Amino acid sequence: MPNVSVNGIVIDDTFAEAFGMRATAIIITAPNRKWARQAAITMTGFATSVIGCGCEAAIDVELPPSATPDGRPGCRVLIFAMGTDELQKQLLNRVGQCVLTSPGSACFAGLEGSAALKLGSALRYFGDGWQISKKIGGRHFWRVPVMDGEFLCEATTGLTKAAVGGGNFFVMAESSAKALLAAEAAVAAIGLVPGAIVPFPGGIARSGSKIGGKYKGMIASANEAYAPTLRGVVRSELGADINAVLEIVIDGETNDAVAAAMKAGIKAVIELGPQRGAVRISAGNYGGKLGKFIYSLKDMLP
Amino acid sequence: MKALTFTLVAEPPERLDLSLLTAERLAGIERRDFEKIQIGMSKHGSKVGDIFRIAGNDLLDIVFEGGSARLDRVAEGMRGGSVRVVGNAGAQAGRAMRGGTLTIEGNAGPHAGSGMRGGRFEITGNAGDHLGGPLAGELAGMNGGVLIVRGKAGAFAADRMRRGLIAVLKGSGDNAGSRMIAGTLVVAGGTGEMPGYLMRRGSILLDRAPKSLSPSFVECGAPESVFAAVVDRHLIADGILKRPLLGNAPQKYGGDNAVLGMGEVLFPH
């Protein structure tokens, strides 16, 4: 099938290829929105890619006081990893170092999953014997004394094995500024989709990679086919009109969440139009043989 | 199926042991033999048929129409379904229950919910002494579940409580939460003397400052408490209270330092 054009933007006849992952969610609350976001942003820092960070994490949605267990502003954070053990380790390290430490914070389960991951039931040891176990309405909490009162933390949170990581699309434009504008529009739209995150800086990756490399030990390396400076010297995927490519990588709680996020992001890029934003949209894959989940761009059009 | 209903015909001539009239205990008995079950505890030896008129047959929905302070051990050890008493109940109602719902639409006697381990038990009137507490010789009182008294409770409510939630809405007698091991006791409407006397762990949540505390309780400040917010919201969402009990930064007293000293008495600052 040939490439199609929507609103003057070329949509490549290709697909994104994604993988099954393990994911969990927590709800972080704080006395105000600023500190709920601060705790969430800190714990999801350095969590762009499992390749080097151990997990991929970001804020899923901000929650109004009416939607949190303690009636304070909060954030729902999603965390993805390749295995349950690594997810558990990352969860405890990050909540222990970044949420427990954040002023006025509290931490609750954000997911009812097929299995439980330890949360407060491990962090409680910070209490050094002064921690208090409380069961309220069928939920188990730990109260850990800290210097501004108590850190309240739910004992466990849920694990889902239905999560998907690596949904993606490329935003390709005539200039860096236009590519960035289009990618930002996509990220803003995906932010409204529940259950999906874009873990890279501001939701955008500029160093899309291929698997392996010529140097020993490199898991991922430059994707030269999409690097505009190499357009003339390698077998490039880029035409003469493309000078910048940015990638949006999406992780979702479910297959449907990833598809919804891709649709929302692509719709935003198309609505922005080729004059101000991208002239072409493509996606990354490995020939369809490695990933369990395939998202054809044709199916993701608005 | 219609609710299995025991309608009280006249005031019983003696104390009755109704622990045999639960879904679990009646399960192996033919419906026509229910009337022959002996429940009288004195020389009268009353049988069910002497005291009650029986209708319906749903073991998981048992109703006692008409109450009396002589109806002891109602729903003892129940594990599921529902039991409702329309009227008063005697001693040890809901003792050692493990599941299901028990409602007494009237007053309950001493040791209501004694040693219960699960389920939900609601008393719309008042409860006697030792609410949820252990019988003589037992090491722990209530061990799980939810016990709500819409009226008053007597002395020693939540004695030796270990787990679960007790809520008393119109005040309790002296020594509420005495010797608590853990768990949560909520008292609105004021407590008598020395709540939390010799408590080891656990939380006593009050809607006002206690009239007195054992001198071995110590003042522990009033920082903002997410726990208080979560409890307040739960009590309202569960239909136990209509408005917040503690507020966001309750005053805490820690104790009883005559024993382990890891318990707490919280009340609005």
Side-chain angles (χ1 to χ4, degrees):
Chain A
M1 200 196 277
N3 297 338
V4 295
S5 177
V6 184
N7 193 24
I9 297 174
V10 176
I11 311 293
D12 283 8
D13 178 24
T14 185
F15 56 88
E17 190 172 351
F19 300 86
M21 289 182 91
R22 305 289 162 97
T24 185
I26 57 171
I27 292 169
I28 298 168
T29 65
N32 54 45
R33 178 173 172 262
K34 176 189 169 186
W35 283 100
R37 278 184 58 80
Q38 184 61 62
I41 289 168
T42 306
M43 84 152 278
T44 57
F46 187 59
T48 57
S49 166
V50 287
I51 295 172
C53 307
C55 72
E56 297 174 9
I59 295 172
D60 174 20
V61 286
E62 281 190 40
L63 299 170
S66 58
T68 61
D70 60 0
R72 304 189 304 166
C75 290
R76 182 172 190 260
V77 168
L78 278 167
I79 307 144
F80 295 77
M82 297 312 287
T84 303
D85 291 349
E86 184 64 21
L87 186 62
Q88 175 70 81
K89 182 179 141 199
Q90 291 289 336
L91 178 69
L92 290 179
N93 280 346
R94 285 166 186 269
V95 175
Q97 299 303 311
C98 308
V99 181
L100 167 66
T101 55
S102 180
S105 69
C107 186
F108 303 91
L111 183 73
E112 279 184 22
S114 54
L117 291 175
K118 284 183 208 163
L119 197 59
S121 60
L123 298 172
R124 67 183 166 115
Y125 292 108
F126 183 78
D128 200 29
W130 298 101
Q131 68 273 22
I132 298 173
S133 166
K134 278 285 152 194
K135 283 188 176 165
I136 305 167
R139 296 173 75 170
H140 186 192
F141 299 97
W142 283 96
R143 295 161 60 192
V144 180
V146 285
M147 295 198 300
D148 70 349
E150 278 179 348
F151 174 56
L152 184 81
C153 188
E154 194 148 359
T156 60
T157 185
L159 162 80
T160 176
K161 296 179 179 176
V164 178
N168 68 79
F169 58 91
F170 297 158
V171 174
M172 308 162 88
E174 290 161 357
S175 69
S176 301
K178 287 181 177 180
L180 192 56
L181 196 64
E184 283 177 345
V187 168
I190 293 169
L192 301 175
V193 177
I197 58 165
V198 277
F200 280 94
I204 304 166
R206 67 107 171 256
S207 60
S209 57
K210 66 175 182 289
I211 292 178
K214 78 173 197 174
Y215 300 110
K216 206 173 141 189
M218 287 297 284
I219 301 169
S221 67
N223 196 357
E224 63 267 17
Y226 288 88
T229 54
L230 302 177
R231 196 162 66 203
V233 293
V234 300
R235 211 181 143 111
S236 182
E237 291 286 338
L238 306 183
D241 56 339
I242 308 290
N243 284 304
V245 179
L246 293 174
E247 184 177 3
I248 310 289
V249 178
I250 300 161
D251 295 336
E253 251 181 282
T254 59
N255 182 19
D256 290 345
V258 174
M262 280 187 69
K263 278 181 189 164
I266 289 171
K267 180 165 181 270
V269 174
I270 287 172
E271 280 173 357
L272 187 66
Q275 307 301 326
R276 296 167 63 203
V279 294
R280 191 179 142 199
I281 296 173
S282 189
N285 61 62
Y286 313 96
K289 286 178 183 144
L290 294 176
K292 190 175 160 195
F293 300 93
I294 301 291
Y295 304 94
S296 173
L297 289 184
K298 296 255 166 15
D299 302 332
M300 298 294 144
L301 298 178
Chain B
M1 279 200 291
K2 275 189 71 180
L4 177 59
T5 306
F6 297 91
T7 306
L8 194 65
V9 180
E11 178 67 14
E14 58 183 335
R15 299 206 75 86
L16 305 176
D17 175 2
L18 299 189
S19 63
L20 295 172
L21 305 185
T22 62
E24 296 76 24
R25 305 290 288 273
L26 290 172
I29 303 173
E30 290 286 333
R31 169 70 171 74
R32 61 176 176 276
D33 294 332
F34 286 0
E35 296 190 345
K36 298 175 198 157
I37 298 170
Q38 186 175 328
I39 52 174
M41 296 302 288
S42 71
K43 63 183 179 182
H44 288 285
S46 302
K47 296 195 164 53
V48 170
D50 303 334
I51 308 287
F52 298 106
R53 192 171 62 241
I54 308 178
N57 53 7
D58 186 357
L59 289 178
L60 291 176
D61 186 4
I62 296 176
V63 179
F64 293 95
E65 279 282 356
S68 159
R70 286 179 159 169
L71 305 186
D72 293 340
R73 299 171 74 181
V74 174
E76 180 176 302
M78 76 180 283
R79 286 168 178 267
S82 87
V83 174
R84 194 161 67 95
V85 181
V86 184
N88 298 334
Q92 297 180 29
R95 174 167 156 77
M97 71 183 278
R98 284 171 170 266
T101 56
L102 168 59
T103 312
I104 293 178
E105 297 173 6
N107 301 328
H111 282 110
S114 163
M116 69 185 276
R117 301 180 76 94
R120 188 180 175 95
F121 179 8
E122 190 157 343
I123 299 165
T124 60
N126 303 326
D129 293 346
H130 298 281
L131 178 72
L135 298 185
E138 290 177 344
L139 292 178
M142 180 158 161
N143 211 341
V146 178
L147 173 46
I148 302 158
V149 180
R150 298 273 171 198
K152 297 185 179 68
F156 295 100
D159 186 30
R160 287 209 185 194
M161 178 177 189
R162 172 161 234 163
R163 224 176 256 123
L165 172 71
I166 295 180
V168 180
L169 305 192
K170 289 195 177 152
S172 74
D174 295 344
N175 300 117
S178 63
R179 307 186 291 177
M180 264 174 90
I181 300 160
T184 306
L185 169 65
V186 172
V187 183
T191 54
E193 303 293 342
M194 293 207 212
Y197 185 65
L198 295 180
M199 74 191 291
R200 294 170 62 79
R201 291 189 192 82
S203 305
I204 299 179
L205 315 179
L206 308 176
D207 69 339
R208 63 193 76 179
K211 162 156 93 167
S212 69
L213 276 175
S214 172
S216 41
F217 274 80
V218 289
E219 200 272 339
C220 292
E224 286 204 0
S225 170
V226 179
F227 166 67
V230 170
V231 167
D232 275 354
R233 289 167 69 87
H234 170 68
L235 292 174
I236 292 168
D238 203 27
I240 296 172
L241 291 179
K242 287 203 171 65
R243 51 183 164 276
L245 183 84
L246 295 172
N248 289 332
Q251 176 71 52
K252 173 176 169 169
Y253 275 77
D256 186 338
N257 291 290
V259 284
L260 188 65
M262 290 182 69
E264 61 183 356
V265 176
L266 301 179
F267 50 89
H269 190 42

